[in-house]
Amino acid sequence: MKTIVFYYSGTGNSLWSARLLAERLDEAIVRPMKGADALAAGDAEAVGFVFPVHIWGVPGPVAAFVEKLSLRPDAYLFALAVNAGQVARTLVQLREMLARRGLTLAAGFDIVLPSNYIPWGGPGPLERRQARIDAARVKIAAAAERIAARATGPVETGPLWQRVVFTAMYKLSFGQVHKMDKDFWCDERCDGCGVCARVCPAGNIEMKKDRPAWRHRCEQCLACIQWCPRQAIQFGRKTPGYERYHHPEVTLRDMLAAGSGER
Ligand code: SF4
Ligand code: SF4
């Protein structure tokens, strides 16, 4: 196989981006950043990482995956950092992680899609969401052309103020992320279906007496709250009034298949 596009996704934005990119590359396959077999990319000529920006940087599970991944030393490496307008220094951070292993991130693209960070509000008006999706589609097509041409160059970043302020906030917040699930709770609409536990990429939800219990190893991907079929999960006090979001072209079935390692 020529190209592997690895993705990490909570609400489908990154899964959609990875699929779209792979469709435009020759002999490309898409794999979740999960499972022992995913760690062997040794034969691939080109390897991509598609992931959401979390707390203005590389999510912990993505960093751990990149550390362990087995790669050809001459593999062409590329990345899409999916975010809602705050890519900050994320792709530079990934480039530095790879450089510590003697590897080069040849190309990194900032992909803006609707926000899924429901603790701060809903995804915004439908027209704005669709405009972002349309613009991302165009940008991913352009990125695919550059990747196919094995282009190299500086990775994309946010403006200087983002790189300074958000990188400081990332460093302050990173160690607290696992415990941020203390603000999740579920209301009376919960019917004990267990979708939240199955969709959680961190195995952080345990069903106790047909109700979810969060185990303080959260990655703040928001999959549980966004995919609950009954909108029964809340975070703090404001989310009962916020619209839920997942990428409109990604289904719960897609997400569950990714979690189980199916493709
Ligand atoms: S997904 Fe929602 S309804 Fe299903 S168990 Fe979890 S909280 Fe309850
Ligand atoms: S508990 Fe929810 S927010 Fe935390 S990692 Fe699991 S799915 Fe994501």
Side-chain angles (χ1 to χ4, degrees):
M1 129 278 305
K2 209 165 173 183
T3 302
I4 302 185
V5 181
F6 287 114
Y7 72 90
Y8 175 71
S9 189
T11 54
N13 280 344
S14 293
L15 173 53
W16 176 81
S17 302
R19 288 198 304 215
L20 197 60
L21 182 64
E23 278 168 18
R24 292 177 169 271
L25 297 173
D26 191 27
E27 293 178 46
I29 58 171
V30 177
R31 292 284 183 272
M33 292 189 198
K34 195 161 182 154
D37 62 328
L39 291 171
D43 292 338
E45 283 173 27
V47 177
F49 307 98
V50 182
F51 61 90
V53 173
H54 276 184
I55 326 228
W56 309 291
V58 176
V62 176
F65 182 82
V66 166
E67 275 309 311
K68 286 190 237 153
L69 188 63
S70 167
L71 292 165
R72 253 167 67 161
D74 63 343
Y76 175 85
L77 305 181
F78 57 93
L80 306 185
V82 177
N83 66 95
Q86 300 174 337
V87 73
R89 200 173 167 277
T90 304
L91 288 161
V92 177
Q93 191 193 357
L94 179 66
R95 191 181 63 195
E96 290 170 350
M97 284 174 187
L98 290 163
R100 285 196 285 277
R101 295 190 53 196
L103 300 163
T104 303
L105 182 63
F109 304 91
D110 165 21
I111 303 297
V112 176
L113 280 166
S115 173
N116 66 6
Y117 200 70
I118 195 167
W120 287 357
L126 201 53
E127 309 76 55
R128 194 173 74 196
R129 279 184 247 170
Q130 194 54 52
R132 283 189 172 190
I133 290 170
D134 293 344
R137 203 185 296 277
V138 171
K139 181 146 189 196
I140 290 169
E145 281 184 18
R146 286 183 57 77
I147 292 163
R150 302 293 187 255
T152 61
V155 297
E156 293 184 346
T157 66
L160 179 63
W161 72 266
Q162 275 192 11
R163 302 201 301 274
V164 172
V165 175
F166 290 158
T167 301
M169 289 167 78
Y170 177 87
K171 285 180 181 162
L172 282 173
S173 317
F174 190 75
Q176 312 302 316
V177 168
H178 290 182
K179 293 184 206 150
M180 286 169 72
D181 62 3
K182 65 179 174 22
D183 290 323
F184 281 122
W185 52 283
C186 94
D187 65 30
E188 68 290 346
R189 287 175 290 186
C190 175
D191 65 0
C193 70
V195 162
C196 49
R198 290 168 63 209
V199 84
C200 173
N204 185 42
I205 298 177
E206 184 181 4
M207 295 303 292
K208 286 187 176 170
K209 296 186 181 166
D210 282 341
R211 292 289 179 274
W214 286 265
R215 302 198 278 191
H216 311 311
R217 48 187 204 223
C218 183
E219 296 294 346
Q220 281 288 285
C221 72
L222 286 316
C224 54
I225 186 168
Q226 299 284 19
W227 286 105
C228 170
R230 301 182 66 83
Q231 303 193 4
I233 297 181
Q234 310 300 342
F235 188 93
R237 282 183 295 172
K238 293 186 180 165
T239 59
Y242 292 154
E243 185 181 351
R244 272 37 177 178
Y245 170 80
H246 61 78
H247 194 286
E249 294 170 37
V250 174
T251 65
L252 177 59
R253 191 173 175 165
D254 294 332
M255 300 305 297
L256 294 175
S260 68
E262 293 167 28
R263 288 120 203 172

